[in-house]
Amino acid sequence: MAMEKEERLLAEVRDEFGLIRVLEVGDYRFLEFGEAVEQSCVFTADPRWLEYDYSRAMLLGALCHDAPESALFLGLGAGNLTQACLAYLPLEDVEVVELRPDVPRLAMKYLGLADDPRLTIRIGDALELLPSVESADLIFVDLYTDTGPDVGHLAWNFLGDCQRRLNPGGWLVINQWAGEDGKPLGAALLRGLYHRHYWECPVTEGNVILLVPADLDQSLDRAGLLARAEALAPRLGYSLRPLIEALRPAS
């Protein structure tokens, strides 16, 4: 019988929104909000490694763009998706909006978030700061609290504004909760807002990643996506092909 690995508490901070903890278990470190609600998992030896399918599917969303130069992350978490995008995409400018000032501080101290000259982190509410950010080729929405998705994940104006902040040819990647039926949270709202013109990637963690193009003329180039994913696989250490095979039209 395998021995349970010991859990070590590396940091614990309380802010106006509640508790933030960093835990270490074996080769992994975890960012938690509240009482044991895991937000992110980092492989300590390589902070660019994406352990979970939902984060791999978000990276896949980034590969929908053949040459992204700019990215905006709404919600940082441990920063491993940001790190992966900085490492594997031709990005020149990356902006992060994170609500809680302790999150980037802890990510840099314990979770391997590197100081990169291309990276700017702004502290504040994504819903309030969105009008003031630069437009981007890629926008990632991953706003979670210890009780689930932030109100932004169901806010018509905010989600519409996210799409409008995309550069021509850009992609919006949303980490959405899934309901019992496997459809994304707010499926009817999303269908109406984006005119059913997006793709979904259901993942094992019970979420659905939405891939939303900047406009209706833009389509998903599966062949190009697969080629970029396969070319990257040796550097990633895993294949994104199963996620590409799981892609489906708006439900």
Side-chain angles (χ1 to χ4, degrees):
M1 188 176 154
M3 284 181 65
E4 283 290 309
K5 287 203 167 72
E6 193 181 341
E7 184 178 279
R8 284 203 317 140
L9 179 65
L10 301 181
E12 187 172 271
V13 177
R14 189 174 289 280
D15 65 8
E16 60 185 294
F17 305 102
L19 198 61
I20 307 173
R21 303 165 80 209
V22 179
L23 298 164
E24 184 173 69
V25 182
D27 297 329
Y28 293 89
R29 289 183 175 183
F30 299 88
L31 180 71
E32 288 186 352
F33 290 170
E35 298 303 321
V37 178
E38 185 190 320
Q39 292 295 322
S40 309
C41 166
V42 173
F43 179 49
T44 315
D46 182 7
R48 300 166 303 179
W49 173 264
L50 301 178
E51 182 73 15
Y52 294 140
D53 275 352
Y54 83 86
S55 51
R56 294 182 183 188
M58 294 184 84
L59 179 63
L60 179 66
L63 294 180
C64 289
H65 198 298
D66 60 355
E69 293 179 6
S70 55
L72 170 65
F73 291 83
L74 302 178
L76 175 69
N80 44 347
L81 178 63
T82 304
Q83 299 259 76
C85 288
L86 282 163
Y88 302 121
L89 304 176
L91 294 169
E92 294 170 8
D93 186 39
V94 175
E95 193 170 8
V96 174
V97 176
E98 169 55 49
L99 183 64
R100 307 170 77 165
D102 285 304
V103 168
R105 184 180 66 76
L106 293 170
M108 285 177 170
K109 188 169 182 183
Y110 297 104
L111 302 167
L113 179 62
D115 197 9
D116 189 298
R118 298 170 291 167
L119 179 63
T120 305
I121 298 176
R122 293 175 67 186
I123 302 300
D125 186 332
L127 279 74
E128 292 170 14
L129 289 181
L130 187 64
S132 67
V133 300
E134 295 286 321
S135 63
D137 296 327
L138 299 171
I139 298 178
F140 300 89
V141 178
D142 193 7
L143 301 170
Y144 281 78
T145 68
D146 53 359
T147 55
D150 181 82
V151 292
H153 281 260
L154 284 175
W156 178 279
N157 289 344
F158 170 71
L159 292 171
D161 287 343
C162 285
Q163 187 184 35
R164 284 186 283 274
R165 302 299 304 179
L166 289 170
N167 291 328
W171 286 84
L172 170 62
V173 181
I174 306 172
N175 178 19
Q176 198 76 340
W177 257 17
E180 295 291 317
D181 57 2
K183 290 183 179 179
L185 182 73
L189 175 149
L190 296 162
R191 286 196 301 271
L193 179 60
Y194 299 132
H195 309 285
R196 286 185 181 261
H197 190 65
Y198 56 89
W199 288 263
E200 299 176 355
C201 185
V203 293
T204 49
E205 291 86 23
N207 294 25
V208 178
I209 306 305
L210 305 183
L211 313 179
V212 186
D215 65 59
L216 291 169
D217 299 334
Q218 200 177 317
S219 199
L220 185 77
D221 170 16
R222 276 183 188 262
L225 186 57
L226 186 59
R228 288 190 286 278
E230 293 291 288
L232 207 50
R235 291 174 66 200
L236 292 175
Y238 47 84
S239 172
L240 297 170
R241 185 186 281 267
L243 295 170
I244 295 174
E245 289 168 357
L247 285 173
R248 65 191 188 201
S251 62

